[in-house]
Amino acid sequence: MMKKLTTTLFIIGISIAAFAQETVSMQVNAKADKDKISRFIYGHFAEHLGRCIYDGFYLEDSTMNVPKQGRIRMDIVSALKTINIPLLRWPGGCFADRYHWSDGIGPKDKRPLRINSTWGMVPEDNSFGTDEFLQLCNLLNCEPYIAGNVGTGTPQQMSDWIEYLNFGGKSALADMRRANGHADPYKVAFWGVGNESWGCGGDMTPEYYADLYKRYAAFCLNYPGAPLKKIMSGANADDYNWTEVSMKNVRPNQMWGYSMHYYTIVNNWQHKGSATNFNEEEYFKGLKSCLHIEDLINKHSAIMDKYDPQKKVSLCVDEWGIWTDPEPGTNGAFLYQQNSLRDALIAASSLNIFNKHCDRIRMANLAQTVNVLQALVLTQKEKMVLTPTYYIFDLYKYHQDATLLPVSFFSPDYKYGEESIPAVNASASKDSNGVIHITLVNIDPKNKITINTSFNGAAFKTAEGQVLTSANFTDINTFDNPNKVKPAAFSDFKKNGNELSINLPPMSATLITLK
């Protein structure tokens, strides 16, 4: 009888343990004042790809009944201004190394019709060109980031493009800009010298590209009041040799930034997985793939530290996000995918990682802004829907240009089968008014996790919270139900003196604001 009772209690104990709520102790170092989280970590990317530019930012049908300025959709502009979009990268992507800027200036009826041979062999009428892009950035109140053509262009063409945009004196190119409606120089600072030069940008070796970068960069001139921030085309994911060769052959003072591209892939490049129809195994694999970016950052940063110990060069993650199979029934070359709660947690976790490494990462651009890959905005004629990922950027916007406050804790595991990954990730910052913002992610889809938080060097009187979660990790916002996944007020926390106990819901991203 005793043996049976013991066995019963043992089984009950296992059952209770399986559903026990984990408790984590977290310390926030509010005395830290060393590193700033650059606002450019919250940048975005718009390529001439599918419906990102045309039928996205830029109306193909100018009679469409939406707010607009010229052909620019102002409802999209308004939504992006709400999240304080700091930077927009254009015109690519792979498209950049086939794009000739002179095709996209001057009267629209004189601009040549080309073929977008990079994305779907569709017509490119060049109606959205340099001046339209700079008009968009002005409306967004964000910095432009132009990716220059190294693949099929020449140093002369890139040099001319910069003169057209940045020279305030008298010259044929500056006068051409004035004739096209912009008297003052645009003073564009951020310039990518090529894109993915290891692949679609020319299939180059790192040794060849390093020499080519120096040649192009030498003719990218600083005009009065318009110094350039030149960005070298860096590694694809775990190509550490590319970083080694690049940093060895190009001096830190020859570049502002060095790029790295990494996409979250659930399965493999041939069968990436559905954006909406996936199970917990695929959910787990997606989050595991997302978190792997920190391993890449650590290893690339270690190589950069050998040649740039003062961290003068920014590691720019200027393409990142989840890449799934295109939505059924759409043009596969247009890379249109839906956006779920899972994708929002991938965005939130990635941003927490970028914040943590802000001593080296000073730019990151989510791919892409509208209607392509992990988009913030989806459109269907006059309709517009904000995705779960959009709301992550709304919650996280308070970190922009704030001081990083290091956090330390041991995360419990989220286990699936024989594998496990950390269930919790977080970042904290203090803004110029002394307000502390903490963003916390619980990727465990079943278990609530309590975070007992203490603060070294800070006291607060009030605490407020917002949370993004939903009933299922496959939940999405649609044109018929646009508010299914949206932030809500969050109050499941307790203040005890100068400590805070926060109960994170399963599969959630939470913002805590302390004043």
Side-chain angles (χ1 to χ4, degrees):
M1 186 72 178
M2 179 64 71
K3 182 177 180 181
K4 183 176 180 181
L5 178 60
T6 303
T7 303
T8 303
L9 290 173
F10 178 70
I11 293 171
I12 293 172
I14 292 176
S15 177
I16 292 171
F19 295 98
Q21 183 171 326
E22 294 273 9
T23 300
V24 177
S25 294
M26 175 183 290
Q27 293 79 41
V28 178
N29 181 10
K31 291 183 177 180
D33 61 0
K34 178 183 176 184
D35 297 315
K36 178 178 284 190
I37 300 172
S38 169
R39 66 185 184 278
F40 298 125
I41 285 174
Y42 292 81
H44 296 279
F45 175 29
E47 184 170 7
H48 287 241
L49 195 175
R51 296 172 50 241
C52 184
I53 299 295
Y54 304 110
D55 203 29
F57 277 115
Y58 204 63
L59 295 168
E60 292 190 302
D61 179 4
S62 60
T63 66
M64 190 178 291
N65 186 26
V66 295
K68 53 186 175 288
Q69 185 157 325
R71 287 170 58 183
I72 295 175
R73 279 191 71 146
M74 292 303 293
D75 51 353
I76 293 178
V77 168
S78 177
L80 295 178
K81 287 181 71 175
T82 297
I83 62 171
N84 299 338
I85 175 174
L87 184 88
L88 189 62
R89 180 174 181 249
W90 172 87
C94 293
F95 180 82
D97 280 298
R98 293 182 182 270
Y99 180 70
H100 297 280
W101 72 274
S102 57
D103 288 346
I105 60 171
K108 288 185 172 57
D109 60 355
K110 300 288 179 61
R111 299 183 188 182
L113 181 67
R114 304 293 189 193
I115 298 171
N116 187 339
S117 56
T118 305
W119 299 112
M121 303 297 287
V122 295
E124 168 60 66
D125 69 2
N126 284 296
S127 58
F128 186 92
T130 295
D131 291 295
E132 289 76 22
F133 171 63
L134 271 297
Q135 180 192 13
L136 173 61
C137 290
N138 182 62
L139 292 170
L140 290 168
N141 194 29
C142 77
E143 290 283 335
Y145 170 14
I146 292 178
N149 182 347
V150 170
T152 64
T154 66
Q156 183 68 62
Q157 288 174 318
M158 192 180 297
S159 178
D160 288 350
W161 200 359
I162 294 169
E163 182 181 336
Y164 175 87
L165 285 164
N166 288 358
F167 184 49
K170 290 289 292 181
S171 76
L173 289 164
D175 287 345
M176 188 184 300
R177 181 195 67 242
R178 295 184 183 98
N180 290 334
H182 206 274
D184 297 325
Y186 288 107
K187 299 183 179 180
V188 176
F190 292 103
W191 286 85
V193 183
N195 168 78
E196 294 190 359
S197 298
W198 40 263
C200 66
D203 198 21
M204 303 175 194
T205 64
E207 292 82 2
Y208 178 79
Y209 172 70
D211 285 342
L212 198 61
Y213 170 85
K214 288 184 284 188
R215 181 186 175 202
Y216 273 74
F219 295 100
C220 294
L221 303 181
N222 295 323
Y223 290 101
L228 302 185
K229 294 181 170 70
K230 289 173 275 194
I231 298 168
M232 189 175 185
S233 178
N236 180 31
D238 61 355
D239 188 348
Y240 304 116
N241 180 60
W242 189 281
T243 300
E244 185 78 42
V245 172
S246 297
M247 295 302 298
K248 182 178 180 180
N249 287 281
V250 182
R251 297 188 305 274
N253 65 359
Q254 292 177 294
M255 56 179 153
W256 179 87
Y258 173 84
S259 75
M260 183 189 89
H261 291 179
Y262 178 73
Y263 285 95
T264 293
I265 301 294
V266 175
N267 295 316
N268 56 61
W269 280 99
Q270 286 71 41
H271 303 286
K272 302 179 186 70
S274 170
T276 57
N277 184 21
F278 54 91
N279 56 25
E280 187 179 352
E281 179 184 8
E282 292 169 299
Y283 171 83
F284 177 90
K285 288 164 67 177
L287 270 299
K288 181 181 178 182
S289 176
C290 158
L291 297 178
H292 178 55
I293 198 172
E294 186 162 25
D295 296 328
L296 304 179
I297 290 168
N298 285 329
K299 291 176 181 177
H300 284 294
S301 295
I303 296 169
M304 295 177 75
D305 287 348
K306 286 168 52 179
Y307 301 96
D308 175 33
Q310 295 179 319
K311 300 183 186 293
K312 293 181 178 180
V313 178
S314 169
L315 179 58
C316 302
V317 191
D318 60 11
E319 289 188 28
W320 68 274
I322 184 170
W323 192 330
T324 70
D325 293 331
E327 287 299 291
T330 65
N331 186 329
F334 284 8
L335 305 186
Y336 177 85
Q337 64 189 49
Q338 250 292 355
N339 193 294
S340 67
L341 175 63
R342 173 196 63 183
D343 303 343
L345 300 182
I346 285 171
S349 299
S350 299
L351 291 170
N352 279 338
I353 291 169
F354 299 158
N355 289 348
K356 177 181 175 181
H357 293 274
C358 66
D359 61 333
R360 179 61 83 177
I361 295 178
R362 293 187 283 277
M363 178 196 284
N365 302 305
L366 178 70
Q368 294 186 14
T369 320
V370 184
N371 289 330
V372 172
L373 298 176
Q374 192 173 350
L376 303 180
V377 179
L378 304 176
T379 66
Q380 184 185 80
K381 296 183 179 179
E382 288 90 355
K383 293 181 180 180
M384 181 187 81
V385 65
L386 304 177
T387 67
T389 295
Y390 171 89
Y391 290 112
I392 292 298
F393 278 83
D394 195 28
L395 292 177
Y396 277 56
K397 64 188 177 185
Y398 304 100
H399 288 310
Q400 293 186 28
D401 283 342
T403 300
L404 177 72
L405 303 181
V407 297
S408 57
F409 63 97
F410 292 100
S411 172
D413 287 336
Y414 163 39
K415 297 179 180 179
Y416 186 85
E418 299 299 314
E419 295 188 276
S420 64
I421 54 178
V424 175
N425 59 79
S427 58
S429 68
K430 181 168 61 176
D431 69 17
S432 59
N433 295 315
V435 178
I436 293 175
H437 295 96
I438 307 173
T439 48
L440 306 117
V441 176
N442 176 12
I443 64 177
D444 191 315
K446 297 174 182 175
N447 297 306
K448 182 184 288 190
I449 298 175
T450 297
I451 309 291
N452 291 330
T453 309
S454 60
F455 298 85
N456 177 23
F460 58 95
K461 295 180 180 179
T462 64
E464 298 176 352
Q466 295 184 70
V467 65
L468 184 76
T469 188
S470 195
N472 306 292
F473 46 60
T474 53
D475 284 349
I476 61 175
N477 292 336
T478 67
F479 298 103
D480 294 325
N481 187 5
N483 297 312
K484 187 176 185 66
V485 186
K486 193 173 183 178
F490 176 74
S491 59
D492 194 4
F493 57 84
K494 292 181 180 179
K495 183 179 183 297
N496 183 16
N498 202 37
E499 296 185 353
L500 199 65
S501 181
I502 309 162
N503 295 313
L504 301 180
M507 51 187 180
S508 65
T510 302
L511 167 70
I512 301 294
T513 301
L514 306 174
K515 298 180 182 178

